Amino acid sequence: MKLGILLSGRGSNFLAIADSIQQGRLPNAEIAVVISNIADAPGILAARERSLPSIIIEAGGRKRAEHDAAMVACLRAHNVDLVCLAGYMRLLSPKFLQAYPLRILNIHPSLLPAFPGLDAQQQALDYGAKVTGCTVHFVDEQLDHGVIVLQKAVPVLDGDDARTLSSRILEQEHVAYTQAIARACSGGYHITGRRYVLRESQT
Ligand code: GRF
């Protein structure tokens, strides 16, 4: 399974995936390309340091459809099977979604459908939630909305601020993304409506 990683920033989820591959936890996956829409994103610099194919495709004032066409062309040129959004801060156009149906994953730092959009951790704190977490889901045309692959819960502690809560969630994000990719590689699931159901032999 050839992965295309899209990012815009820090890239800790990308690095967790890269480590999982390197350490044998994703034996059937390889990173075919890392693409950033931000030239100096730390994630793309880290990809370059690891000698992974690293490409910058800035929007540069282009329309979303035009920028996405360049992204899709790049993913296709690298024979990508599964697109993993890892802190990619742009919405995808319908054409992009059609190019990879049920083959684009995203990770979001809340238990969706609670707290979609930006600053999900602060949203959980402000709401007074006692439990939050992260969600890996397929991307569809609505923000933070597609079929859920898996979720991990973490407690919200009384002393938390956005920083401490974010780092507790992030630890789980790194585990969750690897698990979700392992499931995608195995193909041991089916989707009925919004329900992603594992075959019995899968965990
Ligand atoms: C993560 O919290 C992820 O859930 C959200 O954006 C953040 C990206 O972090 N979509 P990183 O760039 O992977 O460190």
Side-chain angles (χ1 to χ4, degrees), residues 29-66:
E30 67 175 285
I31 295 177
V33 65
V34 184
I35 309 177
S36 172
N37 64 318
I38 305 287
D40 56 357
I44 201 73
L45 305 179
R48 216 174 279 151
E49 267 168 31
R50 292 193 176 208
S51 304
L52 289 166
S54 315
I55 295 182
I56 293 159
I57 304 181
E58 288 177 293
R62 281 183 291 180
K63 292 219 168 85
R64 185 179 313 284
E66 215 180 307

Side-chain angles (χ1 to χ4, degrees), residues 6-16 43 85-89 106-110 117 120-121 133-135 144 166 169-170 173-174 177:
L6 269 51
L7 54 77
S8 304
R10 182 177 56 182
S12 75
N13 277 288
F14 147 61
L15 287 169
L85 307 188
Y88 182 64
M89 300 304 285
N106 182 41
I107 188 154
H108 181 75
S110 76
Q121 304 93 335
C134 62
T135 303
D144 299 330
S166 298
I169 295 171
L170 195 62
E173 290 187 36
H174 295 165
Y177 224 151

